[in-house]
Each structure stands twice: as C-alpha cells, then as structure tokens.
Amino acid sequence: MTVPQQILCISFSDIEADSRVLRQVALLAEAGEVTTLSYGNCPPGSTTHLEIDSALPSLPQTLSGVLRLGLRRHASVELAAPAVKQALALVRGRTFDLIVANEARALPLAHAIAGGTPVWGDMHEWAPEERAHVLPWRLLVKPYMWAICAKYLPRTTAVTAVNASIAALYAEQFGIDTEVVRNAGPYRDLEPSVPVAGKIRLVHSGAAIPGRNLEGTIEAFRALDDRFSLDLYLVKARDGGRYWQQLKELAAGDHRITFHDAVAPDELPATLNKYDVGVFSLPPRTTNHRLMLPNKFFDFVQARLALVFSPSPETARLMHQYDLGAVTEDFSTESLSRTLAALTAEEVERYKANVHRAAQALSSAEDEAVTRGLLTRLLG
C-alpha cells in the first residue's frame, strides 16, 4: 500500500474566506494528504487542520518586535510574531514531503519547518509593498518583507505569483524563476442574467478593508441617476466590522445602495449572476494596486457580468482583449461616475455576451495545469 504524500499548507489568512488558498488546497488534496495551518476553520480538502488563534498577529507587532523592526534586526523577528510562535508549536514533531508558504510572511516559518523538504512559495502579490500605503507598514514592515524575500526566495524550490507583471518583479529583484498562477476561479455553467427594463444593476464584492477605495465607489455611484442600483457583498475585516459600518454610514440615506452579508467564495459567482455590471476602481497607490488582477475580476467574469474597472494594465489588457466592459479614463471618482453614467442598456448586454464567450478562457483551467505541473515536479 502506497503511503500518501504529506503536504503542509501555511496561510496567515482566514482560510475559509481566502478563495485563492481554497483552490490551492483542493489541488494539493489531489496529490496527497493536506495539513492546513491557518486562521479559521478546517477547509474542504484538508485532512488535518491546525488552527491558529485569530487574535494573534502574524507580524512581530509586540513592543520588542516593533523595536527590532525599527533597528532592522530582521533575522531576530522572523519567528517572533505571536501567530508564528503558535504555528511552530502546532506543527512540532510532524514531518512533511512538501511545504506550501502562502505569502512572504510565511517563508521563515516554512523554512524553519522544512529541514530539506521542498518549499513552494506562493507569493500572491508583490510582498514588499503589500500595505505600503500605510505609513507604519511602509517604514517598518516593507524593509522586513524585502529582507525575507531576499534571504528565502533563492532557497525556495518553486515560486508563484498572481500575474506576469508581478512575477517579472520577483525575477528582476531577487533573481528567481517565478511562475504565474492567476486568481481565476473554476468555470461556472451560468448564463447572463435577463435585463430589467430601465435599470442597470451594479455590484461589488470583496473585503471591507481600508485602501480598497470603496468610499470612492459609493461616492461615484451617488452621482448617478435612478437607472442605477448598487449592491455590496463585503467580507468584514478583523476590525470587528468597524470599517464596514463606516461604509454603511457613508451610504446611508440612499435607498439604491444595499449591503449584503458576505458570501462564501464558492457561492459568489452564482450570487452575483443576477446583476449586470461588476465595478471596481482602485487608484495605484502601491505596486500591487497598479498591477492588480484580483479575485473579483474573475468572479465577475464567471458571474457573467459586464465590467467597469479602473485602467490598471493587467485588468485593462484582458478587458480590451475580450471586450468585457468599460475602462475608466483615470482613477478618479469623477471618471468612474462618468464611465458608469455613459453606459447604455445595449452596451451592457453586449459586454455580458462577450464575457459569456470568454468565461472558459478566463477560468482556472490554465492555472490548475500550472499548479499540477509544479506539484508533479516537487513531489515526484
């Protein structure tokens, strides 16, 4: 009897709400028995789940940790974050045939556990500027992220990122081969929704966290006429929902704006399918903002929605290639409002039909093939 390969998947996220990691776990489960090490409950595909206390930060945010970050004593804080300490205790005594580190902050832990085991680093986005729009993060954490990338990525057996532009950054800055695994979801057998005469139903889904320009989306919408409605499916952040509540207060008094409970990632395309246009505008305050190709782009495609996005190169390229919707002139609230106001019912239906034709090409099939090839190489 063949003993299954043992795979550890590390993610300092609420794994049940992390659609990229959920897709990853499903593919890992094809190759062996998966132990997940993360915040949140046991996800589908996991054989063993080691839950990290969600109250514990994954960065060294203690007084001594912040001091050492400020002094650039990066090696001394690699395993010092409270969540990392607990993670080390949870995996003590276990051995694995492959370790997957999701995002740069998991690299020191993965290599501390590895002991010669291959490590796959799925960097997702550009780690040195993950939250560089926040001043303390930029001053303290950005240099730390750069240091751990420079130290650990050359030792990492395989590295992936969300798109070609970000993969090229890792190759240029750290001299490593980086493969592309997009945030695309599986193909959904859906049809574009039937239009409602005289109405254009806008929708946005994602995380309710500062820096995503959700205020700008609400403000742009409020300038539109009564043809439009806006529905928001937002995952509350780990701030107890304070920012979500601030957004709701900003939208108060406009009966056309509706806030919904968050929907599980796997249910999102079917839930969004009843709308007409998926909307997202994000000013390029960081490299990741500038080069974004987010989950929601692919969710909107599988939901068969027309798209209105800001002119980020990775999303704009695909939108123009398949004629999926309208790209705003710039990143301003006014430009988003003008672009939405100019939409006609006929254009929306044409875009939705084009999205329907492109849904197979923009599904996760290509990305799953990359992941399966990577696992074959790593596990033999």
Side-chain angles (χ1 to χ4, degrees):
M1 182 176 176
T2 304
V3 177
Q5 302 268 38
Q6 298 299 309
I7 303 169
L8 176 65
C9 177
I10 306 168
S11 181
F12 289 108
S13 66
D14 181 350
I15 199 165
E16 293 175 293
D18 193 327
S19 53
R20 181 178 179 87
V21 180
L22 289 174
R23 289 191 296 271
Q24 182 188 95
V25 170
L27 293 171
L28 295 175
E30 295 178 4
E33 291 186 349
V34 182
T35 297
T36 44
L37 178 61
S38 72
Y39 302 123
N41 296 320
C42 183
S46 174
T47 305
T48 302
H49 182 59
L50 306 175
E51 183 178 350
I52 301 168
D53 184 344
S54 62
L56 300 178
S58 59
L59 290 172
Q61 292 169 221
T62 61
L63 183 61
S64 64
V66 170
L67 178 62
R68 283 181 281 174
L69 285 176
L71 295 172
R72 302 292 192 265
R73 293 171 55 188
H74 295 138
S76 71
V77 295
E78 290 177 353
L79 303 175
V84 175
K85 287 183 176 179
Q86 186 181 64
L88 275 170
L90 288 169
V91 298
R92 187 171 291 122
R94 300 171 185 264
T95 59
F96 302 96
D97 301 296
L98 171 65
I99 297 172
V100 184
N102 280 283
E103 301 184 291
R105 67 186 65 200
L107 284 173
L109 173 63
H111 283 275
I113 297 166
T117 296
V119 174
W120 164 17
D122 186 2
M123 296 294 94
H124 299 207
E125 298 182 334
W126 178 237
E129 294 194 35
E130 180 186 337
R131 291 180 55 77
H133 57 290
V134 178
L135 181 61
W137 203 100
R138 186 165 67 249
L139 295 177
L140 294 172
V141 183
K142 179 179 177 178
Y144 171 62
M145 288 292 177
W146 190 279
I148 60 177
C149 284
K151 178 176 179 178
Y152 288 106
L153 285 178
R155 308 179 190 179
T156 301
T157 319
V159 178
T160 51
V162 297
N163 63 48
S165 296
I166 290 175
L169 277 177
Y170 281 109
E172 292 164 9
Q173 298 299 323
F174 302 112
I176 54 167
D177 292 332
T178 306
E179 297 181 74
V180 174
V181 175
R182 303 172 304 179
N183 280 331
Y187 176 80
R188 305 304 178 102
D189 188 13
L190 296 170
E191 297 284 333
S193 61
V194 176
V196 174
K199 296 293 182 182
I200 296 178
R201 299 161 295 180
L202 310 178
V203 69
H204 174 92
S205 61
I209 58 175
R212 297 291 178 90
N213 194 40
L214 296 173
E215 300 92 339
T217 299
I218 292 170
E219 289 166 6
F221 170 80
R222 296 187 74 161
L224 301 176
D225 59 50
D226 284 344
R227 288 183 301 151
F228 295 91
S229 62
L230 174 63
D231 287 63
L232 299 164
Y233 290 83
L234 301 176
V235 178
K236 294 178 183 177
R238 294 174 62 198
D239 62 356
R242 287 192 300 275
Y243 179 65
W244 182 90
Q245 188 60 43
Q246 290 170 15
L247 294 172
K248 198 167 185 182
E249 291 168 3
L250 178 64
D254 195 325
H255 68 277
R256 302 170 302 158
I257 303 176
T258 305
F259 283 72
H260 299 268
D261 291 337
V263 174
D266 192 53
E267 300 170 13
L268 200 52
T271 301
L272 302 181
N273 177 248
K274 62 188 174 185
Y275 300 100
D276 298 308
V277 182
V279 181
F280 189 42
S281 179
L282 185 64
R285 298 171 66 188
T286 71
T287 297
N288 286 316
H289 292 171
R290 180 171 60 84
L291 300 178
M292 69 169 185
L293 185 57
N295 284 319
K296 60 180 60 60
F297 177 91
F298 298 101
D299 290 336
F300 293 165
V301 168
Q302 293 308 319
R304 306 308 195 266
L305 304 177
L307 305 182
V308 172
F309 269 62
S310 50
S312 302
E314 286 281 341
T315 51
R317 176 178 59 81
L318 290 174
M319 288 178 67
H320 291 315
Q321 180 180 346
Y322 295 102
D323 193 20
L324 304 177
V327 178
T328 62
E329 292 180 5
D330 57 46
F331 297 90
S332 67
T333 298
E334 295 75 18
S335 180
L336 176 59
S337 194
R338 284 195 305 271
T339 302
L340 290 168
L343 287 174
T344 66
E346 293 75 19
E347 285 176 322
V348 170
E349 292 312 297
R350 175 170 62 83
Y351 290 141
K352 287 165 73 173
N354 291 342
V355 169
H356 185 50
R357 284 189 285 271
Q360 189 74 59
L362 294 173
S363 73
S364 60
E366 173 185 323
D367 306 285
E368 289 174 2
V370 172
T371 298
R372 289 189 179 102
L374 186 154
L375 291 172
T376 299
R377 296 196 308 273
L378 295 177
L379 291 168

